[in-house]
Amino acid sequence: MARQPSHPLASEDDLDLTPPEERRARRLRRLFFLAIAVVAALGATLYFAAAPVGGAIKSWQSRRLARQAFAMIDRKQWTEANAKARDAYLLRPNEPEAWRAIARLFYRTGQGTAALEWWKKADEERRLTIEDRRDFAAAALAAGELGTAAKPIDALLTQRGGPAPIDILLAGQLAARRSDGVLAVDYAERTLANKRATPYEILSGAILIVSVTTYDSPPHITAWKRIEDLARDPRDAASLDALVFLAQQQSLAPPSGTRNNTSFSLSVPAAQRPLAPLASDTSLSLGPGNATVQPANTMGLLEIADALEKHPGARPYHKLLALELRAQHDPALTDQYVGDAVGGFGKPDDETLAALAGWLNRVGRSQKTLELLPLDRAVQRQDLFLQHIDALAALERWDEVKEVLSRERFPLEPVLQHMYLATARTRLGEATAATNEWQRGLEAANTPEKLLALASYAEQNHANDIAEMAYAEAIRLAPKGRSAYAGRLRVAEAAGHTAEAQSVAAEIVQLWPDDAEARNQEAYLRLLLGASDGAAEAAERQAQVLVAQEPWNWAARATLGLARLRLGRKEDALAAFRGVRATGSEPPGALAVRAAVLAVNGYEEGARGDARNLGAEQLLPEERALIAPLLVERKQ
């Protein structure tokens, strides 16, 4: 008889008579199909998630490399920082941290034009830190992109907790570049009154005031005294920089006849000199401003020289600068000071030798430079080699310049080599060879910075066609590079091509519509070319606003006067020049317009005076046409 369940709730499994082997097989089949489903789901997940996960890993690695680059930049390990920033970008080209690292590296190594484009990319992603914004603003100011600089400066001025002194200084620098001296002084004085300001920021603020004010104005006198107070206190961190500024404000030109002057220069363009990257708290230049006349009762040459020599932080450059001041004070003792300098440094190291050679070249002792710096020693470093070449050029030994530069054994970039060879061959009368060297220089200049250096050097040496090509190529590589556009405008004006200059000015206005100076220049050039009544009326309205904002702006007054002259309102044109006095620093074109306005209003004596002063000035053809009747009348 079959056995019955012992409990009414017994499960069906207790009645299952399936063999155990078959039950195990069923479980295995269920597990197999379940595993297949899990594997398929996992495969699908991995397939769709692989790219994001891989991208996240690469982004993390890129950010890690960028952080390493920032640390190396702070330690001024430029080669290592460049490698890390490059790897960060190559690993993840769309990683904003990599963009920031590249931008900071470019800016701190003097490649401001290239840095700007990377700062703009990072800014679009809203990834800029406060320090980034300071570097961004300083780079834009250096490049002349005032509208671009305004954005980070506005952000710095409105940051939580209020702006730091350096941020206020940047705002003052922007105001100065916009020719708003009143606002620039206001910002600078706010910096000087800020208890958080560092000595360098105080010095920068005082220099800013000096650069935008007249020497006899109270703000100028007060700021100059502040600079001298810093200079006289060797314990102050900024005292040495203050002394250098005061020394640079003196006329450092050597006495007449002590230097062989050439119409060409072999000096290294600024864009190619080794640049010390700017720290974030010293973004403003400590170089000389516009103040070339000192107020009364200031430090004299000998006092500055004594302070430079005795300063505990003085390096060879400062001691040589002191000797230069002494030679300026007493030119008859120049040879004695040269002997003191040469004997005082014994066997100088490379840095000291470079400073000494540069000083000897400046005071017209180039032969002594060659004695101290023979070619075998000069070829060991670029700065030494360039001083050797400068000495040969000052002595008019152009055959030797060509021979030395034509060798293969020297530490010089190809761009510089071809630039200097072009100069030497020009002086030797080898016109075709000089043109070839300029072309080779253009081919070797593969960055905006090198092209700008080449263009600037070509301008300096009157090779305007080469300068035009170099500026055009720089614009192609960096379409928003303001310096290249400004250079093209200068070249066109220097060549007397007013229509071309107006076309370039119009491009500048299109790219930087907030730049009042650029708009005024474009309107002025258009008026010279014979603008319609409607364009003249628009130029008048625009110039009226600018004159109201900047009463001392002669360029704006010239536009206003010329617009009214074109409209046949000679009395109103005369009013454009009332209330201002010429000081000798006015643009020649503005004085040509004033002469024409004075003449049509019957002030012939004043008009002839302006025309007489402008006789040797470089004017555009249309500007010279304005005063041509006065020049003819003067000859009669």
Side-chain angles (χ1 to χ4, degrees):
M1 184 173 177
R3 185 169 177 270
Q4 300 294 323
S6 61
H7 192 280
L9 297 179
S11 66
E12 292 185 8
D13 288 342
D14 292 335
L15 300 177
D16 191 356
L17 300 179
T18 304
E21 294 82 1
E22 187 175 345
R23 289 201 297 272
R24 282 197 300 273
R26 289 175 181 174
R27 285 197 297 272
L28 288 174
R29 283 194 297 270
R30 287 197 295 269
L31 289 172
F32 176 75
F33 288 118
L34 179 60
I36 290 176
V38 170
V39 169
L42 182 59
T45 301
L46 290 175
Y47 176 79
F48 289 107
V53 170
I57 293 172
K58 287 185 177 181
S59 292
W60 174 80
Q61 291 174 327
S62 178
R63 289 192 294 272
R64 180 172 60 86
L65 289 168
R67 287 194 294 271
Q68 293 173 359
F70 286 130
M72 292 171 179
I73 291 170
D74 291 339
R75 295 194 294 268
K76 300 182 180 180
Q77 297 173 334
W78 308 119
T79 302
E80 296 85 350
N82 180 71
K84 293 294 184 182
R86 182 195 62 228
D87 291 346
Y89 176 74
L90 293 176
L91 190 63
R92 193 70 170 171
N94 61 349
E95 173 53 54
E97 289 301 292
W99 301 345
R100 290 182 56 237
I102 294 171
R104 185 172 297 180
L105 176 66
F106 279 163
Y107 175 66
R108 298 292 175 87
T109 54
Q111 302 176 67
T113 303
L116 266 183
E117 300 307 313
W118 293 98
W119 284 132
K120 291 173 183 176
K121 285 166 64 72
D123 187 38
E124 290 172 359
E125 295 294 323
R126 301 180 182 276
R127 298 294 290 270
L128 296 184
T129 65
I130 290 176
E131 185 177 0
D132 291 340
R133 288 195 175 98
R134 288 168 182 158
D135 285 355
F136 184 15
L141 286 172
E145 295 193 20
L146 305 186
T148 300
K151 184 177 179 181
I153 289 175
D154 287 344
L156 290 169
L157 292 178
T158 57
Q159 63 183 292
R160 183 178 300 176
I166 183 60
D167 306 325
I168 300 172
L169 276 174
L170 285 168
Q173 188 82 341
L174 176 61
R177 293 295 299 276
R178 286 175 164 171
S179 300
D180 191 340
V182 175
L183 185 58
V185 169
D186 178 66
Y187 280 126
E189 289 180 338
R190 285 172 55 188
T191 301
L192 296 180
N194 194 314
K195 295 182 179 180
R196 295 183 297 163
T198 67
Y200 291 106
E201 290 162 351
I202 291 173
L203 176 59
S204 295
I207 290 175
L208 180 58
I209 293 174
V210 165
S211 70
V212 298
T213 55
T214 57
Y215 77 96
D216 56 350
S217 66
H220 187 109
I221 295 171
T222 302
W224 194 278
K225 183 179 183 305
R226 195 72 176 265
I227 295 170
E228 289 188 330
D229 290 342
L230 290 172
R232 287 190 170 105
D233 183 3
R235 297 167 299 177
D236 194 287
S239 65
L240 192 55
D241 288 319
L243 284 169
V244 170
F245 171 80
L246 293 174
Q248 289 173 338
Q249 290 301 290
Q250 308 292 332
S251 174
L252 295 181
S256 176
T258 63
R259 180 172 183 173
N260 292 316
N261 187 23
T262 70
S263 59
F264 289 86
S265 171
L266 282 177
S267 299
V268 186
Q272 290 293 332
R273 290 188 183 275
L275 295 177
L278 299 174
S280 61
D281 61 345
T282 57
S283 298
L284 292 178
S285 170
L286 293 179
N290 295 332
T292 57
V293 181
Q294 300 180 25
N297 303 320
T298 62
M299 295 178 71
L301 288 169
L302 296 182
E303 185 179 357
I304 297 172
D306 287 340
L308 281 168
E309 290 175 340
K310 296 176 183 177
H311 198 283
R315 298 178 64 84
Y317 163 77
H318 303 101
K319 297 182 183 298
L320 289 167
L321 182 57
L323 286 176
E324 193 164 351
L325 294 176
R326 294 188 186 282
Q328 180 187 337
H329 180 265
D330 195 345
L333 297 178
T334 299
D335 287 336
Q336 175 185 325
Y337 295 132
V338 168
D340 292 344
V342 172
F345 292 109
K347 294 184 178 180
D349 55 25
D350 287 341
E351 179 185 351
T352 303
L353 183 56
L356 179 58
W359 180 76
L360 290 170
N361 285 338
R362 287 198 303 276
V363 297
R365 299 300 187 271
S366 299
Q367 184 60 48
K368 181 63 72 173
T369 297
L370 297 178
E371 294 172 8
L372 288 174
L373 189 57
L375 186 59
D376 288 344
R377 177 76 183 275
V379 296
Q380 296 176 15
R381 283 176 41 141
Q382 176 170 293
D383 53 352
L384 298 177
F385 183 74
L386 289 171
Q387 294 297 346
H388 182 93
I389 294 296
D390 274 348
L392 290 175
L395 295 170
E396 298 281 345
R397 290 158 63 170
W398 297 106
D399 280 319
E400 292 181 58
V401 172
K402 184 180 77 169
E403 179 186 356
V404 170
L405 288 171
S406 298
R407 297 179 182 180
E408 295 182 359
R409 181 174 163 262
F410 52 84
L412 198 61
E413 284 198 19
V415 177
L416 297 179
Q417 175 196 6
H418 295 303
M419 284 163 42
Y420 297 162
L421 272 172
T423 299
R425 291 184 182 277
T426 299
R427 291 305 299 263
L428 291 170
E430 303 172 4
T432 301
T435 300
N436 291 337
E437 294 296 347
W438 283 121
Q439 291 297 333
R440 293 188 186 104
L442 277 171
E443 293 169 4
N446 54 6
T447 68
E449 286 73 26
K450 291 179 181 179
L451 285 162
L452 288 174
L454 174 64
S456 176
Y457 186 78
E459 269 193 88
Q460 177 184 343
N461 289 285
H462 313 296
N464 287 341
D465 55 339
I466 298 296
E468 166 62 27
M469 287 188 282
Y471 283 131
E473 180 63 13
I475 290 172
R476 188 186 70 81
L477 294 181
K480 292 298 185 67
R482 178 63 183 273
S483 298
Y485 280 98
R488 282 187 64 203
L489 184 56
R490 284 196 309 273
V491 170
E493 290 182 332
H497 299 158
T498 310
E500 182 181 343
Q502 189 274 326
S503 177
V504 175
E507 292 182 55
I508 294 174
V509 170
Q510 186 175 4
L511 289 169
W512 294 280
D514 295 332
D515 191 329
E517 182 181 352
R519 292 200 310 272
N520 180 73
Q521 189 167 18
E522 192 276 333
Y524 175 75
L525 292 171
R526 189 182 295 274
L527 289 167
L528 285 178
L529 293 169
S532 65
D533 287 352
E537 291 170 354
E540 180 190 17
R541 291 193 296 271
Q542 179 178 282
Q544 276 182 303
V545 173
L546 190 54
V547 168
Q549 294 173 342
E550 304 169 11
W552 58 89
N553 190 329
W554 272 80
R557 288 181 178 272
T559 302
L560 182 60
L562 185 56
R564 290 172 174 173
L565 198 62
R566 293 287 190 240
L567 293 169
R569 292 157 41 204
K570 61 180 184 180
E571 292 85 0
D572 291 339
L574 183 62
F577 294 98
R578 288 201 180 107
V580 289
R581 180 171 54 88
T583 62
S585 61
E586 296 74 28
L591 293 178
V593 172
R594 187 179 73 165
V597 170
L598 288 172
V600 299
N601 280 279
Y603 296 94
E604 295 184 2
E605 184 178 353
R608 290 197 190 97
D610 279 353
R612 183 167 50 253
N613 293 333
L614 291 168
E617 294 286 351
Q618 181 175 344
L619 296 171
L620 291 170
E622 293 78 6
E623 291 171 336
R624 193 161 292 281
L626 290 173
I627 62 171
L630 297 170
L631 294 173
V632 171
E633 186 175 345
R634 180 165 58 88
K635 290 179 181 179
Q636 295 174 349

